[in-house]
Amino acid sequence: MFESLYSKVLRYARHPHAPRYLAALSFAESAFFPVPPDVMLIPMALANPKAAWRLALLTTLASVLGGVLGYGIGYFAIAAVEPWLQQWGYWEAYQIARDWFGRWGFWAVLVAGFSPIPYKVFTIAAGGLAMNPLGFVFASFLGRGGRFFLVAGLIAWGGERLEQAIYRHVRVIGWASVALVAVGIALYLLLR
């Protein structure tokens, strides 16, 4: 089951329009969409390790542009967006982002761009708190670029060996992922 899914994902990753989809996903994720671009960047870089650096640059640029949109949403419409942040389960992360901006400003965006914390929450919070726009863009480039270039670099370094190793162990990786999601859901339901 996981082997055929993995092969299909790599086939889609080699599609001629895949870079456009990656850019669109990267842009949308930084402002409002819940799926991180890594889910496309990783298989695309695995499918073509020689293009990994170019894909990381594309992902970074689109993500930062999406971050600027998120900043604009926060700057111009924070009052309208706050109820949605609560409804979609981002309210706690948004409160953390506000607190981090109060303490660390630029560094909060840098860390958020690199980490798995929902970046869109930080882009909206940065706009809502009127963070210096140039500092925001610079921190976003460093944070998002650092993350995506690290991912691309690891995949380019591993190349075909990494792709084959993943394929050999995809069943274990797949079931481990399913188990992690199940545990996450169970913890969420228990702690709710």
Side-chain angles (χ1 to χ4, degrees):
M1 175 170 96
F2 291 111
E3 292 89 345
S4 66
L5 181 62
Y6 178 71
S7 297
K8 191 177 289 190
V9 166
L10 288 182
R11 256 195 329 276
Y12 289 143
R14 289 182 177 103
H15 190 277
H17 297 298
R20 291 182 197 160
Y21 302 144
L22 175 63
L25 175 63
S26 300
F27 179 85
E29 183 271 339
S30 294
F32 57 85
F33 197 65
V35 179
D38 308 67
V39 299
M40 282 188 73
L41 175 61
I42 292 169
M44 288 177 68
L46 274 172
N48 188 0
K50 291 180 179 157
W53 300 113
R54 183 176 48 81
L55 293 169
L57 178 62
L58 174 67
T59 306
T60 301
L61 293 174
S63 182
V64 171
L65 286 174
V68 170
L69 173 63
Y71 182 98
I73 290 169
Y75 188 82
F76 293 108
I78 192 63
V81 172
E82 283 180 344
W84 289 359
L85 291 171
Q86 291 174 348
Q87 181 182 355
W88 293 340
Y90 290 118
W91 186 250
E92 188 176 326
Y94 174 70
Q95 293 299 328
I96 291 169
R98 288 180 56 102
D99 181 51
W100 285 17
F101 278 117
R103 294 181 192 188
W104 301 300
F106 171 90
W107 298 105
V109 175
L110 180 70
V111 169
F114 194 80
S115 75
I117 298 169
Y119 179 62
K120 71 190 87 3
V121 171
F122 282 86
T123 66
I124 293 168
L129 296 171
M131 179 183 177
N132 177 317
L134 293 177
F136 169 77
V137 169
F138 184 63
S140 294
F141 266 115
L142 290 178
R144 296 304 264 183
R147 174 178 168 172
F148 299 135
F149 277 92
L150 177 64
V151 167
L154 289 171
I155 292 170
W157 172 74
E160 191 176 317
R161 290 179 321 221
L162 179 61
E163 181 182 345
Q164 291 171 0
I166 291 172
Y167 184 78
R168 278 194 310 274
H169 303 290
V170 73
R171 187 172 296 157
V172 172
I173 294 167
W175 285 115
S177 299
V178 169
L180 282 173
V181 168
V183 167
I185 290 171
L187 285 173
Y188 174 76
L189 293 174
L190 287 172
L191 300 174
R192 211 169 80 162

